[in-house]
Amino acid sequence: MTEYQHAATADLPADELFAFLSRPENLPRYFPQMKVAEPRGGESVHVEAEVHGHRVESEAWLHTDAATRSLSWGAEGPDDYHGELRVEDAGPASARITVTLHSVREADGGEVQKGLEQTVAAMTHAATADADVEAAEGQGGWTSYDGRR
C-alpha cells in the first residue's frame, strides 16, 4: 500500500472550509477529473470521472465527521483507493487542510503526489472563492472599480 500526503493553509475559518469540502456535490469544483458527484443517501455517492481519457463511473462512500472536521472516502476497484481529509484551525481566519491518499497503485514520476498537491490547492481556492461570492452577495453584490453599480 502506498501513501501520499499533502497539507496547505487556506485564508478561511476552519468551519467554513470544512462545510464546503464536506458537500459531495462540490467535488467537481476542485477535483479536475471529477465530472459528477451525486449523493445517493447515507454515505453513498455516485461519481463519474475522466481517468486517462476514459469515462469511469463508480459508487463511492464518503464518511463525514463534523466534530473532528474530518472526511474519509473510498471506492471499490483494483487500486483499493481511499483517503482521509482533516481541517484544523490555523488562526482566527485560516485553516490547515491535510489530505492523505492510500492506494495499492504506485504511479511513475510522482504523478499521484503532483495531482494531490494540485487538488489541495484547488480545494483551498474553490472554498475561498465560494466564501468571497457569498460575502459579496450578502453585502448587495459586487461593485465596479469606479464605484458605480
Side-chain angles (χ1 to χ4, degrees):
M1 175 89 34
T2 304
E3 182 176 291
Y4 304 90
Q5 188 174 75
H6 187 66
T9 303
D11 294 328
L12 196 63
D15 287 337
E16 286 186 50
L17 178 59
F18 182 75
F20 177 84
L21 296 174
S22 65
R23 290 191 294 264
E25 59 273 11
N26 284 336
L27 276 167
R29 294 185 57 197
Y30 57 79
F31 190 62
Q33 293 83 359
M34 187 73 58
K35 303 305 177 193
V36 174
E38 298 172 339
R40 295 289 171 117
E43 295 184 345
S44 181
V45 180
H46 175 77
V47 294
E48 296 178 23
E50 284 289 325
V51 180
H52 300 293
H54 300 284
R55 186 105 174 177
V56 177
E57 290 187 49
S58 180
E59 296 305 311
W61 56 268
L62 174 68
H63 174 72
T64 304
D65 185 344
T68 62
R69 288 192 213 109
S70 63
L71 303 173
S72 56
W73 66 88
E76 296 293 325
D79 297 331
D80 188 27
Y81 171 78
H82 61 281
E84 300 91 33
L85 174 150
R86 182 171 303 275
V87 176
E88 301 169 303
D89 286 313
S94 64
R96 181 164 180 81
I97 179 175
T98 303
V99 178
T100 305
L101 300 178
H102 309 275
S103 177
V104 296
R105 176 179 167 250
E106 291 190 41
D108 295 329
E111 173 190 4
V112 174
Q113 185 66 38
K114 182 179 178 182
L116 174 59
E117 291 170 10
Q118 291 171 342
T119 299
V120 170
M123 286 174 170
T124 60
H125 177 76
T128 302
D130 192 67
D132 288 346
V133 168
E134 286 180 14
E137 289 172 349
Q139 296 174 5
W142 299 101
T143 58
S144 67
Y145 287 109
D146 64 5
R148 290 180 282 153
R149 284 193 163 288

